[in-house]
Amino acid sequence: MMPNRRLFGTNGIRGLVNKELTVEMAAAIGSAIGTFFKGGNLVVGYDARTSSPMLANAVISGLIATGCNILFAGMAPTPTLQYTVKDCKADGGVIITASHNPPEYNGIKVLWSDGIEISREQEIEIENIFFDGKLSYAEWNSLGRIKPLPEIIDRYIEAVKRHVDTAKIASKSFHVVVDAANSVASLTIPRLLREIGCKVTTINANIDGTFPGRLPEPRPENLKELSLAVRALGADLGVAFDGDADRSIFVDEQGETHWGDKTFALVAKHFLKENPGEKIVTPVSSSTLIKDVAEAYGGEIVWTKVGSVVVSHTMKALNAKLGGEENGGIFYGPHLAVRDGGMATALILDIMAKEGQPLSKMLEELPKYFIEKGKVECPEQLKDMVLEKLIEKVKGSNLSTIDGVKAWFEDKSSILARPSGTEPLYRLYAEAKTAEKAKKLILEYETIIKDIIDSLKSS
């Protein structure tokens, strides 16, 4: 799990429970985090996984041993806990969650005082403390204490409501079907939507860390029940969440599921109408659709490496107010520059209310692209050399090497090839105005990468 002294991956620490991520390790990680913070007040909470209370208790023990005081939030969505850190003026926070991973996984996220996950540089500091064993334990009479945190869900819901026209939404009496993934979205989303005047029907809303309804990754193939429910009930909207409720995927009133690029583009369009000239932050894996919308409505697009932490920190550095990812993550800076499924749902309903149009019609009006994905197996030790050779071969009208290499072509098609951060392979994302062209790009670049790998192996 942790080659080369690494604990943190793309998004926090992740591992198989009691195999890669044990109680002993969680306690030691807690002490490393506490040493990094040098004591202080830290918010701690967790998601609905069966192992989360166990690992939370282990991390808390490690934190208390280093003199940290715990503001204990219990079970709550990640965005609620992130808002709570900022709202409570805590020094930071720790969340036990593996987000969209299957139930046998869990993980640890570390937050800074603004509620945003710590930077890559700060992650390395914690890793060095952990691997070097430089833990700073408190004296017996200076140990940390635990204080329960009440009303965090109330305060979070009120904060989200401040950013939308609740009266306008209420006047439309929208019927929304919520797929809560048997997890923490159940604690906030149905209540938030009812408080802004929506009729709510829930599926997979009973908390169960085995995720019996569906896997916690809200992919279109996992959301057939939601699509059927929206159509059967004649609802206005369906929304599905991942395991910690920071991502949301939407289903329109016709039962069609839309990947995150489209709904993020819709939010960006309406945000730029009201805030022309603003920056829109998004990873290079996002659709050209986002670029088209930004250019059409006077915005400036800022491309980043893949990873929500990178998007958050780029928004923070640039004071940007909107960010998004193709996987359903929307970052609304006026609330907090983090992925927040509840805030995203409120923003979509706000747009539907103000425009007076169904979601399907508004998405239909956006530029259309066909997306294809591919992958090529590649040994870890060859990844960097493959990238060097690939950059030499790619000839596009516009190139980005922020994360792998992405080329945009004159006919509005594009290809992104990037080494996976978690597996020995290259991932490919192609886009074009026709499905045939997107498939052709994938096949073409799969062949190019395979040829490069073969030549490197034989040299």
Side-chain angles (χ1 to χ4, degrees), residues 284-343:
V284 288
S285 56
S286 287
S287 169
T288 306
L289 170 59
I290 311 301
K291 182 170 173 274
D292 290 351
V293 166
E295 288 172 354
Y297 292 92
E300 178 188 341
I301 196 153
V302 178
W303 298 108
T304 73
K305 287 189 171 192
V306 173
S308 66
V309 177
V310 186
V311 175
S312 286
H313 280 272
T314 304
M315 288 178 68
K316 191 169 153 180
L318 300 176
N319 196 27
K321 296 184 179 68
L322 187 65
E325 300 172 308
E326 44 88 30
N327 60 13
I330 291 179
F331 308 62
Y332 190 62
H335 174 63
L336 195 61
V338 299
R339 297 192 295 204
D340 188 334
M343 187 72 247

Side-chain angles (χ1 to χ4, degrees), residues 86-241:
K86 179 185 170 188
D87 188 44
C88 289
K89 296 182 172 56
D91 297 296
V94 182
I95 306 174
I96 310 303
T97 179
S99 187
H100 64 273
N101 282 66
E104 61 270 26
Y105 285 83
N106 216 324
I108 301 169
K109 289 184 182 182
V110 185
L111 312 177
W112 193 239
S113 58
D114 53 9
I116 294 171
E117 285 176 66
I118 57 171
S119 67
R120 297 296 188 216
E121 294 74 20
Q122 290 171 319
E123 288 176 355
I124 292 167
E125 283 186 57
I126 291 173
E127 287 169 344
N128 289 339
I129 292 166
F130 177 85
F131 288 110
D132 294 338
K134 293 183 177 175
L135 306 173
S136 178
Y137 290 115
E139 294 294 326
W140 67 272
N141 56 354
S142 301
L143 300 173
R145 299 186 178 188
I146 301 178
K147 177 185 174 186
L149 267 185
E151 300 176 354
I152 65 164
I153 286 172
D154 302 12
R155 295 174 71 84
Y156 164 78
I157 287 173
E158 287 305 314
V160 170
K161 285 158 62 176
R162 285 197 287 271
H163 296 287
V164 295
D165 189 337
T166 55
K168 187 80 173 174
I169 295 170
S171 72
K172 300 295 182 180
S173 302
F174 291 126
H175 184 182
V176 184
V177 183
V178 174
D179 180 344
N182 297 113
S183 197
V184 288
S186 305
L187 302 175
T188 53
I189 306 302
R191 184 175 149 195
L192 165 65
L193 298 185
R194 288 187 183 106
E195 287 190 18
I196 58 177
C198 297
K199 177 184 177 183
V200 180
T201 300
T202 58
I203 59 176
N204 300 323
N206 57 310
I207 301 254
D208 186 333
T210 67
F211 303 117
R214 64 167 171 84
L215 288 171
E217 172 81 356
R219 301 184 62 81
E221 58 267 28
N222 293 343
L223 305 180
K224 292 184 175 65
E225 279 185 352
L226 177 61
S227 175
L228 287 168
V230 169
R231 287 206 305 274
L233 295 167
D236 300 287
L237 183 70
V239 57
F241 297 86

